[in-house]
Amino acid sequence: AGAAFFGVKYVPPTQESKRRCPLLILHGGTDSIVPPAEGKKAAEELKSKGWTVTYQEEKSQAHAWVPDIAKKCWDWLKVQVIK
């Protein structure tokens, strides 16, 4: 599991602003360290608390950060900024 943050200025979050911040969870379908079911469970738990979550399972990806995954994160982030 990993997390990436892209930003230039820290703005202290409020409870409501945190929920408005969209989240992307990319999980490797062959991850043997953190089972995909845990990523799905995290996404559902966050959604139940009002967060906007996109969950994508990469079927042939293990537990690793690779250029293809980085590109998917960047592409998703660009769409979020344009909204």
Side-chain angles (χ1 to χ4, degrees), residues 8-62:
V8 293
K9 180 180 178 186
Y10 176 74
V11 177
T14 63
Q15 195 65 6
E16 187 56 34
S17 69
K18 287 191 290 184
R19 288 193 183 108
R20 285 195 310 261
C21 178
L23 301 172
L24 172 65
I25 298 175
L26 289 170
H27 205 113
T30 61
D31 189 338
S32 60
I33 296 172
V34 179
E38 292 298 318
K40 290 177 191 170
K41 182 178 173 182
E44 292 306 314
E45 181 69 21
L46 288 163
K47 285 179 184 179
S48 76
K49 296 190 181 307
W51 290 75
T52 301
V53 180
T54 300
Y55 177 84
Q56 294 179 15
E57 189 172 308
E58 303 298 316
K59 298 297 180 196
S60 61
Q61 183 63 46

